[in-house]
Every structure is written in C-alpha cells, then in structure tokens.
Amino acid sequence: MREGQNNVIYRADYQAPGYWIDSVELSFDLDPAKTRVLNRMKLRRNLDAAPQPLRLDGEELNLARVLVNGQGTSFKLEDNQLVLENLPEGGDSFDLEILTTCQPAKNTKLMGLYVSNDSFFTQCEAEGFRRITYFLDRPDVMASFTVLLRADKAKYPVLLSNGNLVDQGDLADGRHFAKWVDPFRKPSYLFALVAGNLVAREQRIRARGGKEHLLQVFVRAGDLDKTEHAMNSLMASIAWDEARFGLPLDLERFMIVATSDFNMGAMENKGLNIFNTKYVLASQATATDTDFANIESVVGHEYFHNWTGNRVTCRDWFQLSLKEGLTVFRDQEFSQDLAGEASARAVKRIEDVRVLRTAQFPEDAGPMAHPVRPDQYLEINNFYTVTVYEKGAEVVRMMQTLVGREGFARGLKLYFERHDGHAVTCDDFAQAIADANPDSTLARLLDQFKRWYSQAGTPRVRASGLYDADARTYRLTLAQSCAPTPGQDVKEPFVIPVGLGLVGADGAELASGMHVLTQESETLTFENIGSEPVPSILRGFSAPVILEFDYSDAQLIALLAHDTDPFNRWEAGQRLAVNRALGFIRDAGVAARDIRLDPPFMNAMRAVLRHPTLDAAFKELVLTLPAETYIAEQLDVVDPQRIHAVREAMREQLARELAPDWEQAFEQHRESGAYRPDPVSSGRRALTGMALSNLCLAARASGDQVWPGKAYQRFKDAGNMTDRFNALAALVTSGSELAAPALQRFHAIFKDEALVLDKWFALQAGAPDRGGNVLPAVKQLMNHPDFNIRNPNRARSVIFSYCSANPGGFHRPDAAGYVFWSERVLELDAINPQVAARLARALDRWKKLVEPLRSAAREAIARVAARPDLSNDVREVVTRALAD
Ligand code: B3K
Ligand code: ZN
C-alpha cells in the first residue's frame, strides 16, 4: 500500500486478464502457527490481451520459492503483488510453482485461512484467496482445483475441500491426508477448506433424474441435535430449484459446515458451504421462529448460488448483484413458495419490504448511496450492501413482473444456455431475460429498464386522483422523480411497474391491473366509476419506490378494512401510524406523555386485532408501529430522542387502551401441542408475544403486577425459545422489576449456548433507553466474562445492537454514544476491518440530525477519519460520510 494513498477501482477500467490459470494443485500442511501452501498452476497467456508481466495478488504471505517450468526465476514483490516478467512467450501453457506460508492462528480478520475453536476454516469472497497463496484473485479467472490437505489426525480428523474426495489415508507422525478434486472450474473466491474435529448429520437423497447425492451438515460434537432443520431446509432447497427452475444438484456431495467465528451469514463455496452457526443450529429450546425462518432462507440462498453465482459467476465485482440480487430474489420466492397460502406469502413479502424500506432506502439517500451495479469502490467488501442484495432482488422481481412467471423461468433457462461456465455481467442477465421474451414490455424498454442498474437513489412516485361524477371517470396521475445522489446529479425516468386497484366506498373492487410508468408523468383514466373510489397504488410493492398520495384518514381506513391486496392493506395501517407519528413529532410543544391517539385510529387498530378471519401473523405486522429509523427517513431534520419518545408514547397508548383486546388475543392464540415453526403457528406465537409485551407495558403505567407475573411464569415454563424469549423481552422492554431476575436466570440456563447468549446480550443493549441507562449497561456488558470483541456475533450482539439498533439510547444529548462508537470502530478496525466498517455506517445519516447532535456526530466521524492507519474498509465509509 502506498502510504495512505489508496486506490479507487473503477468499473470503466475493466480489462480482461493478461493470463489464464487452467488448473491449480494446492497442497496444505496445516498448522495453526505456520501453514505451508504449495501452489502448482498451469497458466497461459491470454493472447487477446496486450503482452504484460504476470501480477499475482498476495497478502500477508511469506514467500519461500517460485519456479517456472521447474526452474528458478526472477521476480519482484510490489504492492501486495508478485510480479513475473520473464515468462515463456506465445500461447503455450507453462507451470508455475509457488511455496508460501501463512499464520492462520493470527488471522483475526477472518479472511483467508483462519482458526476458530481449534478448527481451520476459509473465507475467500471477495479477495481472501490472496491471503492463502499468490493468485489471479479475480472472479473472471476460473480454474480446475485439486486440493491435498495434510494435518494432525487426532486434532483434525475431518479434512474437507470443494468437490469430490478422491483419496485419503494416514501419514507418519500421527498425520493424515485427504485429496479433493472439484469437477467444476471456479474462480478463487469459491475455494474453501475446512479441517477440524467435527461431526456430521448425513442424508442420502435421490434426485429427480435418479442420481444419488450425499448431503452433510458438519458441526461441533455437541451440536448434532441442532442440525435437523438445516438439513430439511437443504433438501427443500434442492427439490425447489429443480421443480421451479429445472436446476438440479450437480455434485455427488454437498456439504454445509458451521463455524461460530464468521464475518457474515454464510458463504456459497462450491459444494462446501461455510455457515455462521447462527444460520445452521436450531432446536426448539434454543432458537426462535425467526431463527428457523432465517435458517431456511439462508440455506436456500447459499444452495441457490450453486447455479446463480457458481455455475455462472461475475465478470468483476461491480457485477456483484448479478449473483446476489438474483439469489436473494430466488430465496425470497423459495420462502414464499414454502409458506404456501396466499396470506402467508403476503406476510413474507411484507417482511422483505420492511427490510428494504428500513435499511436500503436510507442507504440510497445517504453518503454510501450507490447503484445496484456500482461504478467505483475502494474496498469491495463495503459493497455487500442492502442495495446490491435487496434492491437488486427487487430489480429482478420487476423483470419477473414484466415478463410473467413463466417468461422469467424461460429467461433463466436461456441465461444458463448462454453463459453456463462463464463469468458475465448484469447486462448479460437482463439481455437473456428480454431475449427469451421478445414481445414483452421488458424487451421493448430494456435500455430504459437498465437504469435500475446504473442510477442510485430511490425514485418517488407522486400520485393524485380526480373523480368526475358526471363523466363517471377517475383520472389518476403518476409522476416520477429521483433526487440526486453522490456523483449523480441528474436522473432519467425509470421503468416502474405500478400494481393498481380501485376500491369502492363499500369496499368493492372496481378495477385492478398493472400500469408500467415510463414517462416523467402519465395520467390514466378509469371509465364507468359510479362513485369516488379509493386508489390502491403499488400493490404488492410492485417497485422499490416511495409512493406519495394524499390519502385522507377515511381512505386509509377503508383500504385497511377492504383492500384485496394484503400488502396495501398493511401499508394503509402503516400510513395511518406514520402520519400520526409525524404530526406529534412536529408538534414540538406537546410533551410525549400528553400525546393522544384519536379514536378513529384506535378503532381501526382494534378492528384488526379483533378481526375474525385475519391471520395472527398479519395482525402482528399491522399492529407493529413503523420503526424509528423508518419514521426518521420521512423527516428532513431528525431528533432521534423525540422520535423515540413519540413512538413509545403511541405504543403505550395502544397497550393501555386495547388491553382487553390484547388479553383476548393472548388467550385465543396460545399454542398447545408439539412445537412446529410453520407460518401459522409462528404467527400465533408472534401475536401472543406482542400481546404479552403490551400487557406488561400497560401494567407499567398502572403499577399492576399481574401481567409481569404471568410473563415471568411463562418465561420460566415456556416449551420453546420463541415464547421464552418473548416473555423475557416483555419484562425487559417494559422495565419490569422482574427483568433482572429473569435475565439472571436466562443466563444461568443458557450459559453454554453461544447463540442464545448473543440474544441475551442483544436484548439488553437494544432495550428502550430510560434516562440514559443503556450506555452504562452496554459498557458493563463489554466487561462481562462472556463478552469477546473478536467474535463477530458477540460484537454485533452488544455493540451493533446499541449503535445501529437502538436510536433512542445511542443518540444521547451528551454525545457519549458517539464517543463510544468512535472508540469501538477503531478498536475493531485493528482486529477485523470488515466488522469495523459495518459499525462505521451507524452514523451514515448524521447530516440529518438535529443540532447539537449533528456537530457531535461530525466530530466523532472526523476523529475516526483523522487516524492515519485506518483500513481501506473504514476509510472509505468515513470519507464518504464527511464528503459534501
Ligand atoms: N457471497 C457471500 C458474501 C460474501 C461477503 C464477502 N464480504 C454470502 C452470500 O451472499 O451468499
Ligand atoms: Zn449471496
């Protein structure tokens, strides 16, 4: 690295590699202190590229030997690259042998080869392979891999890598070996190895085509009883990809390995997925319904990458959404299809949109805003974002909307016919979907549609309606715009599919359909409309936009009661709540305790809660007030304390005034019988949990001890973690005196369950702030013997739960939250830059903060940015945050 001078990479600079690597044979002598890696490659010049020296990437490696065709050769080490100039001319293949060592036990970045709980794991995406050996560490160089692993047999009885096990045996000195061959060419980021003392749940399956496959889920010895759900999810994923898209499992063996030290959720290495334990281990005693659902979707996601990502991969990292947006779309569809029923599908859709709007919309409006296909980066790990993933998935979803479900499946088929085995671009993907549907709107508007890939920012659609009683017409005008984002001042109109319906005064559906908005402004006329309708716009959240329409309360209440589109039914309730929250927030003269919600709103909420046929899961979503961060996005100047106080006051009033209804909901939806994490029973548990939380909150105001007592009882007796944790959370968030003994008891029961302890830490760090009590509690939690900042899950459970998920506690008037943040960013950066950079983003939206918070936040960011020794990861985030 040229001191402090860090190089930005631009998409426009892409050039094909000067060399290809056809095959690579890796031999590992695994040792935590010093691992030897012998790398034998067959390379050839890419005759389509200009003649150039070979520059291999390598980081924190000790180089021992370089041989070309078996002979010593001259080389240079420059900027983390090994440079070879005297290579054979012409297009013939030559051998390159490189011997290096690395230090896995010292690897706290958890990129490359590292040690966790005395086992070896790897993480190579995006650029971790260069920490294992010198290589062309870029996704468009795809090679055949053969891997030989050698290690102490007693300490590391299991030796795994990608593909098929072709040989294994014992060596001298208590060591043993295993040899793996991957039958598919792959880029280096999909390489993986695991060595350790692990056990596996195994399952043999016969796929549709008749082929046998071995499925394995590897975990530490005590965890085998928590692998059934992951295995079931894997089998469901295999069956689904075959049934829905005709994509079979292409390997004899498919392995999942869980590790408790992992920077993100999981990794799709070919045939050897490595997972954060959080997305593998589940039992009813230790995991919540949300954990079960997340495991299903992450196992699905990584498995689906086997085709979308691995068989067809990215040409360069700017194309990341090619695999991530598409694969998120696929995992969302998978979860919806497994949920089955229309209302359960809608619940999943609402949950996905909620993530998009509370996390991606702010990203799109902040200093890190970037297109789904970014144009530049300093550190690619900073671009594994909600924009690339979740907005990317919405872009794929819009394509499916524009060509239909069958048309989309046809498009995917053509995509694989064209590109299987290659590294391609987002353009290639969109082209395949369009070409397979030549008569579609997508094909007609492809160039304009692709602005979703190139333009950052969330478009706004401003709608207005005009009813003409004499002409019996309703005219709906839709106008789109998109605010500038860093580096993009002018935006061209997007292609926006808008799901539409008109709902009559009596609740009848008068019209429904899909309009594709392409101009800046368009007006639609509906004929034969007998009375003024209520428009239901953007049904199913048909595009990732902000919809503005001046709904009256009466209109929203009508939609909440009658809309046939469950998404917009939920949305109507959210709008009612947001409008009220914004009104109270702006009404600065009114103290939070004097806030009064109006009877129409209370009645509408009560009607949903009491509704005879609505699902419990749906009721829980409607009764959940919009998140503080979502409310903040609707404001130009943000006072997190005021938002928190207003939202809490609204919550308390709903708790108190609907108390009889909460009681009834609690009694009616109590589950008996065996635990099953299916959508219906999870929905019932979610609603009883919410009811209990409200009843404890109501009791707090009245001083009544009945419901806290019942919550404590339930906490003690619960037969599953969902009910137990909800009861604990009800005590903690309502500030009950029973919270402390319950927390103590919870810790005693689960002291050996790391993932459960993460919940215990997170609950306390995320608790509603009362008089500034959370920050001291967080500092104390960091001194707890079970706290370990090097473990990403644990760091997230305390530090992120406070800085990123507890705005009321974090944005303290005395700025102590920001000081804490800057200290932790720096502390983490020295250990694990990827985790540090995520934390750095907690202050992304500082410019919107009310003074003096704004100045205090700026100062805290500037303090971090002033450090000369920052990682590229953190430097990029804080530099962009401070830019004008
Ligand atoms: N592809 C990985 C993410 C890798 C992140 C590298 N910083 C997991 C996934 O999206 O499936
Ligand atoms: Zn992914």
Side-chain angles (χ1 to χ4, degrees):
M1 214 170 302
R2 284 165 232 138
E3 349 123 297
Q5 266 306 304
N6 301 305
N7 301 331
V8 175
I9 319 274
Y10 296 92
R11 182 168 67 87
D13 289 348
Y14 174 81
Q15 288 200 329
Y19 296 79
W20 300 111
I21 303 178
D22 291 318
S23 67
V24 45
E25 273 182 55
L26 297 170
S27 309
F28 288 86
D29 289 296
L30 291 164
D31 184 314
K34 187 174 174 187
T35 287
R36 266 177 91 245
V37 183
L38 180 63
N39 170 3
R40 290 202 185 100
M41 294 175 272
K42 285 206 182 301
L43 291 92
R44 69 197 145 83
R45 288 182 190 267
N46 175 4
L47 297 180
D48 296 333
Q52 55 191 281
L54 174 64
R55 299 182 159 270
L56 299 172
D57 308 296
E59 229 177 75
E60 294 181 35
L61 300 173
N62 296 306
L63 180 59
R65 184 169 81 214
V66 184
L67 301 178
V68 173
N69 287 332
Q71 304 289 310
T73 182
S74 64
F75 61 83
K76 284 189 292 193
L77 285 172
E78 270 178 24
D79 293 342
N80 284 333
Q81 288 189 324
L82 171 65
V83 185
L84 296 166
E85 266 156 332
N86 302 315
L87 293 171
E89 301 292 326
D92 292 349
S93 152
F94 61 90
D95 294 338
L96 179 58
E97 181 177 315
I98 299 174
L99 179 64
T100 53
T101 63
C102 57
Q103 298 174 285
K106 289 205 177 147
N107 183 353
T108 60
K109 294 183 180 167
L110 310 184
M111 284 296 279
L113 178 65
Y114 65 93
V115 175
S116 158
N117 285 314
D118 300 321
S119 293
F120 291 93
F121 297 91
T122 54
Q123 171 57 36
C124 294
E125 189 177 1
E127 298 177 334
F129 191 72
R130 62 188 63 183
R131 295 167 59 79
I132 297 175
T133 183
Y134 284 100
F135 207 72
L136 291 173
D137 195 10
R138 46 187 286 171
D140 56 354
V141 172
M142 298 167 87
S144 299
F145 279 71
T146 300
V147 178
L148 180 66
L149 302 173
R150 285 185 292 251
D152 185 277
K153 187 173 183 178
K155 283 192 193 142
Y156 311 104
V158 171
L159 302 175
L160 309 174
S161 191
N162 318 83
N164 299 320
L165 178 64
V166 297
D167 196 8
Q168 59 184 326
D170 290 336
L171 299 165
D173 303 334
R175 292 174 79 78
H176 69 147
F177 75 93
K179 186 173 179 185
W180 294 81
V181 175
D182 189 341
F184 293 91
R185 292 192 317 131
K186 64 170 176 289
S188 51
Y189 83 87
L190 290 172
F191 167 82
L193 79 77
V194 171
N197 194 354
L198 303 167
V199 291
R201 173 183 292 266
E202 299 197 337
Q203 177 82 45
R204 282 177 200 281
I205 57 162
R206 189 178 291 280
R208 287 193 167 187
K211 279 214 186 104
E212 278 239 15
H213 306 273
L214 172 62
L215 312 180
Q216 295 172 304
V217 178
F218 287 89
V219 294
R220 290 170 76 192
D223 287 331
L224 210 49
D225 57 339
K226 300 193 195 82
T227 52
E228 189 185 352
H229 181 64
M231 182 60 90
N232 288 341
S233 301
L234 178 58
M235 290 193 289
S237 308
I238 295 169
W240 182 85
D241 218 8
E242 226 178 328
R244 173 119 179 223
F245 290 115
L247 299 173
L249 174 55
D250 57 9
L251 291 160
E252 290 161 28
R253 187 200 275 252
F254 192 89
M255 298 168 277
I256 287 178
V257 189
T259 169
S260 50
D261 292 290
F262 208 61
N263 282 346
M264 62 267 171
M267 178 63 212
E268 71 264 24
N269 318 299
K270 185 81 188 185
L272 179 58
N273 289 185
I274 297 182
F275 271 61
N276 188 323
T277 43
K278 184 173 163 60
Y279 297 108
V280 176
L281 303 180
S283 70
Q284 75 180 68
T286 57
T288 61
D289 293 335
T290 307
D291 295 324
F292 275 87
N294 288 342
I295 289 169
E296 180 182 281
S297 98
V298 178
V299 168
H301 181 98
E302 305 313 329
Y303 176 74
F304 303 142
H305 267 315
N306 190 46
W307 280 92
T308 50
N310 301 5
R311 287 287 287 254
V312 179
T313 194
C314 303
R315 187 194 71 171
D316 55 72
W317 290 121
F318 297 102
Q319 317 297 330
L320 185 56
S321 199
L322 171 81
K323 72 179 180 78
E324 295 306 348
L326 175 55
T327 305
V328 171
F329 168 76
R330 275 153 54 69
D331 84 52
Q332 290 177 346
E333 290 287 284
F334 166 64
S335 295
Q336 280 198 23
D337 287 353
L338 285 200
E341 252 212 300
S343 63
R345 300 179 70 94
V347 164
K348 169 67 177 153
R349 179 69 184 140
I350 291 167
E351 287 167 350
D352 291 341
V353 173
R354 211 161 52 169
V355 171
L356 186 83
R357 293 205 301 205
T358 52
Q360 197 278 326
F361 281 18
E363 179 165 274
D364 237 349
M368 281 292 287
H370 53 277
V372 167
R373 182 191 53 213
D375 291 313
Q376 60 181 82
Y377 61 76
L378 177 55
E379 170 51 61
I380 183 57
N381 283 319
N382 284 331
F383 289 84
Y384 287 75
T385 57
V386 273
T387 298
V388 166
Y389 277 63
E390 270 71 22
K391 186 177 181 180
E394 293 300 320
V395 173
V396 175
R397 183 173 297 283
M398 286 189 286
M399 290 192 205
Q400 173 170 269
T401 301
L402 293 174
V403 301
R405 226 170 122 112
E406 277 174 29
F408 185 77
R410 221 174 20 247
L412 210 55
K413 190 160 172 277
L414 181 60
Y415 173 66
F416 288 115
E417 280 165 17
R418 286 185 180 169
H419 303 300
D420 189 10
H422 293 98
V424 305
T425 64
C426 296
D427 286 328
D428 294 324
F429 175 75
Q431 195 65 51
I433 305 296
D435 287 352
N437 297 277
D439 300 326
S440 65
T441 323
L442 180 70
R444 200 158 45 78
L445 301 170
L446 187 61
D447 285 338
Q448 188 185 349
F449 182 86
K450 288 200 301 190
R451 289 175 189 157
W452 284 110
Y453 282 110
S454 58
Q455 296 189 141
T458 307
R460 280 176 194 269
V461 173
R462 166 108 210 115
S464 53
L466 197 65
Y467 180 62
D468 183 336
D470 297 336
R472 293 168 61 86
T473 56
Y474 184 73
R475 283 156 58 85
L476 184 68
T477 299
L478 301 171
Q480 59 164 310
S481 63
C482 183
T485 52
Q488 283 187 344
D489 291 340
V490 184
K491 313 274 179 179
E492 302 293 333
F494 290 85
V495 174
I496 304 179
V498 184
L500 281 175
L502 294 183
V503 180
D506 56 351
E509 173 113 328
L510 304 178
S512 76
M514 177 71 63
H515 177 73
V516 183
L517 175 65
T518 60
Q519 309 295 310
E520 255 167 40
S521 175
E522 292 174 36
T523 299
L524 317 176
T525 306
F526 297 85
E527 312 274 354
N528 243 334
I529 307 293
S531 62
E532 174 154 15
V534 184
S536 170
I537 313 170
L538 206 69
R539 280 185 161 176
F541 199 71
S542 52
V545 302
I546 297 167
L547 172 69
E548 296 174 343
F549 184 91
D550 291 326
Y551 283 111
S552 68
D553 277 356
Q555 287 180 315
L556 290 173
I557 288 169
L559 290 178
L560 177 58
H562 302 298
D563 201 331
T564 53
D565 180 62
F567 179 85
N568 268 1
R569 208 169 169 179
W570 169 78
E571 175 76 332
Q574 295 291 294
R575 282 180 189 267
L576 285 168
V578 169
N579 291 345
R580 277 154 185 78
L582 295 179
F584 296 138
I585 290 163
R586 293 198 180 106
D587 205 350
V590 181
R593 64 175 177 281
D594 295 329
I595 283 168
R596 288 290 164 270
L597 286 162
D598 51 296
F601 177 75
M602 297 304 287
N603 290 338
M605 291 295 133
R606 184 181 289 115
V608 171
L609 191 50
R610 285 189 184 172
H611 200 285
T613 56
L614 284 176
D615 279 355
F618 184 78
K619 291 181 179 185
E620 197 266 343
L621 289 174
V622 174
L623 271 298
T624 301
L625 293 173
E628 287 171 33
T629 45
Y630 183 71
I631 297 171
E633 284 305 309
Q634 322 303 315
L635 294 160
D636 294 328
V637 178
V638 172
D639 177 355
Q641 296 299 332
R642 177 76 183 161
I643 296 176
H644 177 67
V646 163
R647 188 178 183 276
E648 284 299 288
M650 289 171 68
R651 219 161 66 81
E652 279 184 37
Q653 198 178 341
L654 279 165
R656 277 198 317 273
E657 281 191 30
L658 301 187
D661 306 286
W662 291 122
E663 269 188 51
Q664 211 184 8
F666 182 76
E667 297 303 339
Q668 266 177 6
H669 294 93
R670 287 169 85 130
E671 283 279 299
S672 48
Y675 172 82
R676 286 191 55 221
D678 61 282
V680 174
S681 23
S682 319
R684 295 173 69 97
R685 277 186 292 272
L687 189 61
T688 45
M690 177 181 228
L692 191 58
S693 168
N694 277 287
L695 290 161
C696 288
L697 200 60
R700 175 183 147 82
S702 64
D704 187 277
Q705 278 308 309
V706 175
W707 278 102
K710 283 194 190 185
Y712 193 82
Q713 203 58 42
R714 191 174 169 83
F715 157 73
K716 280 201 321 196
D717 302 343
N720 61 74
M721 179 52 85
T722 307
D723 286 339
R724 193 193 288 269
F725 192 76
N726 283 343
L728 177 66
L731 294 170
V732 170
T733 55
S734 65
S736 162
E737 284 165 15
L738 294 172
L743 281 167
Q744 209 171 16
R745 192 181 180 114
F746 189 87
H747 184 273
I749 303 173
F750 296 107
K751 59 181 183 314
D752 299 321
E753 297 283 352
L755 295 172
V756 184
L757 285 189
D758 290 336
K759 299 182 196 303
W760 182 84
F761 278 107
L763 177 63
Q764 297 174 72
D769 196 71
R770 300 210 161 87
N773 65 336
V774 180
L775 181 58
V778 165
K779 289 182 176 167
Q780 223 166 15
L781 289 173
M782 287 189 58
N783 286 324
H784 192 283
D786 291 327
F787 183 76
N788 170 12
I789 200 167
R790 284 166 196 264
N791 174 258
N793 286 357
R794 194 54 53 82
R796 285 187 279 256
S797 73
V798 178
I799 302 168
F800 288 52
S801 297
Y802 174 65
C803 298
S804 309
N806 192 346
F810 177 56
H811 297 278
R812 293 166 59 104
D814 66 0
Y818 304 157
V819 174
F820 174 82
W821 167 87
S822 60
E823 289 167 357
R824 298 293 80 73
V825 169
L826 294 173
E827 183 179 359
L828 278 165
D829 200 31
I831 301 166
N832 186 330
Q834 265 181 67
V835 175
R838 292 276 154 160
L839 178 64
R841 297 206 45 197
L843 276 177
D844 260 15
R845 303 297 271 138
W846 69 274
K847 282 186 182 166
K848 283 182 103 174
L849 291 171
V850 68
E851 287 295 359
L853 295 181
R854 187 177 191 273
S855 302
R858 209 201 75 86
E859 226 176 273
I861 303 168
R863 223 169 15 247
V864 173
R867 293 288 282 253
D869 50 350
L870 289 179
S871 66
N872 276 350
D873 310 57
V874 169
R875 175 169 309 285
E876 182 167 39
V877 172
V878 292
T879 312
R880 287 176 71 136
L882 293 174
D884 299 317

